[in-house]
Amino acid sequence: MTRVAVLAGGVGAARFLDGLVRVTQPSDVTAIVNVGDDMEWAGLHISPDLDTVTYTLADLVNPETGWGLRGESRRTLERLSELGGPDWFMIGDLDLATHLYRTHRLSQGDPLSAITRDLTARLGLQCVITPVTDDRLRTVVGTDAGELAFQDYFVRGRAADPVHSLRFEGAESARPAPLVTQALEAADVIVIAPSNPFLSIDPLLSVPGVRELVTSNRDNVVAVSPIIGGQAVKGPAADILSSLGHDVSALGVARIYAELASVFILDEEDSSLASMIESETGMRVVVMPTLMKDVETKMALASGTLKAALDVA
Ligand code: FO1
């Protein structure tokens, strides 16, 4: 039995988790998911990363986008647009049911973690998916145009504005959700998923107690590089590395993770950086293919990551 806790953002983490639950006992896996991207949209609470992870593991996700539900229409959004409502965030007709359900339960006072547990149970998932916190946490992005709410920067602005700063509103008073502390303390392996270090992983670490739990388990922590050949597989990670003054490479990411992880998974394409990363950061580097193209590559990355972590644990 290997208990695994995964620090997770959206699409990249969801794909990694999809491989992980196929190579280990799903009930031994806890995904601790970012909620800094959450937003209120037309009166509804949207938790994009929780839904992306849930839909992916339930094999319901739209494979073209990596988020939303496969085969859904957007008739409600079209009608909302005709009424003059917000139409820049692509909420699909079936996805809408999740947001109605979640918002209704939140209005009754139920915590986000309990709602997530019930949604995932309904979908037959055996792994634990939990928001990092039940409290309000919002990523605020500093740009030339001033501070933007996360989805205003990411979707409305197409992540085009250079990012000068990031802050996580609500972090100081946020508490880890009930299963978060337990999962991090009990984990044989903690994986930092191939997610955006600034937009996905930092919000998780901003919740008081979470960073400390990860660093105190550093020997069991493995980080998977989200950067291959100086480019992000998806999203603005490379642009943000650059605008915040980091090296735009897996080395730049490794420096950020050095105090958190003892093992770093580097893509084959970047193998020439391995010895530099090892000598500069003190992490043990394991080189393997990290691009998740299909089920086989997801499973290979997940099992390779576990093996790399357990070799030292
Ligand atoms: N991403 C987009 O780029 N455009 C969208 O219109 C959009 C809608 C959307 C709706 C529901 C959902 O769960 C996710 C959605 N995403 C959309 C993805 C999301 O904004 C980001 O991928 C994450 O927040 C970053 O991890």
Side-chain angles (χ1 to χ4, degrees):
M1 185 173 102
T2 306
R3 286 157 301 187
V4 190
V6 181
L7 301 183
V11 177
R15 291 184 177 151
F16 180 86
L17 283 158
D18 191 29
L20 184 64
V21 295
R22 294 166 195 268
V23 300
T24 190
Q25 192 63 41
S27 54
D28 290 338
V29 174
T30 301
I32 299 170
V33 181
N34 174 35
V35 289
D37 299 10
D38 285 20
M39 70 185 288
E40 280 70 42
W41 174 88
L44 300 178
H45 181 109
I46 318 284
S47 295
D49 286 353
L50 282 172
D51 289 343
T52 295
V53 169
T54 302
Y55 294 163
T56 302
L57 294 181
D59 193 20
L60 295 171
V61 82
N62 178 339
E64 267 124 57
T65 53
W67 46 265
L69 285 156
R70 189 167 48 224
E72 64 183 340
S73 51
R74 293 203 178 129
R75 293 195 61 199
T76 308
L77 191 74
E78 284 157 20
R79 182 73 184 131
L80 187 66
S81 180
E82 284 161 18
L83 297 176
D87 59 1
W88 55 271
F89 199 69
M90 300 293 133
I91 295 292
D93 290 335
L94 302 180
D95 191 23
L96 191 56
T98 305
H99 313 313
L100 289 168
Y101 176 85
R102 177 186 288 121
T103 306
H104 176 59
R105 295 258 327 247
L106 285 170
S107 75
Q108 293 181 319
D110 292 330
L112 186 59
S113 56
I115 302 167
T116 306
R117 181 196 60 213
D118 293 345
L119 280 168
T120 54
R122 276 274 167 180
L123 295 174
L125 299 185
Q126 282 163 28
C127 64
V128 174
I129 299 175
T130 176
V132 64
T133 180
D134 283 325
D135 299 319
R136 192 176 188 283
L137 180 70
R138 292 290 183 276
T139 298
V140 179
V141 185
T143 71
D144 286 341
E147 287 201 318
L148 301 175
F150 178 81
Q151 299 294 353
D152 279 333
Y153 154 77
F154 193 83
V155 172
R156 207 177 205 170
R158 297 170 193 270
D161 288 319
V163 173
H164 303 314
S165 62
L166 288 160
R167 65 184 178 87
F168 308 110
E169 209 172 79
E172 318 76 49
S173 55
R175 291 148 302 169
L179 293 178
V180 169
T181 307
Q182 198 180 310
L184 289 172
E185 278 172 352
D188 300 301
V189 177
I190 298 173
V191 181
I192 301 177
S195 296
N196 187 310
F198 308 102
L199 302 179
S200 300
I201 304 300
D202 261 2
L204 303 173
L205 300 171
S206 76
V207 174
V210 173
R211 178 183 287 274
E212 293 71 16
L213 279 166
V214 176
T215 50
S216 64
N217 274 308
R218 185 179 179 275
D219 286 352
N220 302 328
V221 182
V222 53
V224 184
S225 176
I227 296 284
I228 303 177
Q231 292 187 324
V233 176
K234 197 173 192 297
D239 293 340
I240 301 179
L241 277 167
S242 167
S243 67
L244 294 183
H246 298 271
D247 203 84
V248 186
S249 68
L251 173 63
V253 176
R255 285 180 181 141
I256 293 167
Y257 286 153
E259 67 163 32
L260 300 162
S262 59
V263 183
F264 190 73
I265 306 295
L266 183 68
D267 190 78
E268 286 178 325
E269 198 179 315
D270 294 318
S271 59
S272 61
L273 296 173
S275 56
M276 205 193 305
I277 294 176
E278 288 200 329
S279 58
E280 235 195 77
T281 67
M283 289 192 282
R284 191 163 58 85
V285 173
V286 180
V287 177
M288 66 183 78
T290 63
L291 194 61
M292 296 176 283
K293 292 177 283 208
D294 49 30
V295 173
E296 288 71 33
T297 46
K298 288 181 206 172
M299 288 168 66
L301 178 61
S303 65
T305 300
L306 286 188
K307 189 172 166 298
L310 291 166
D311 274 351
V312 280

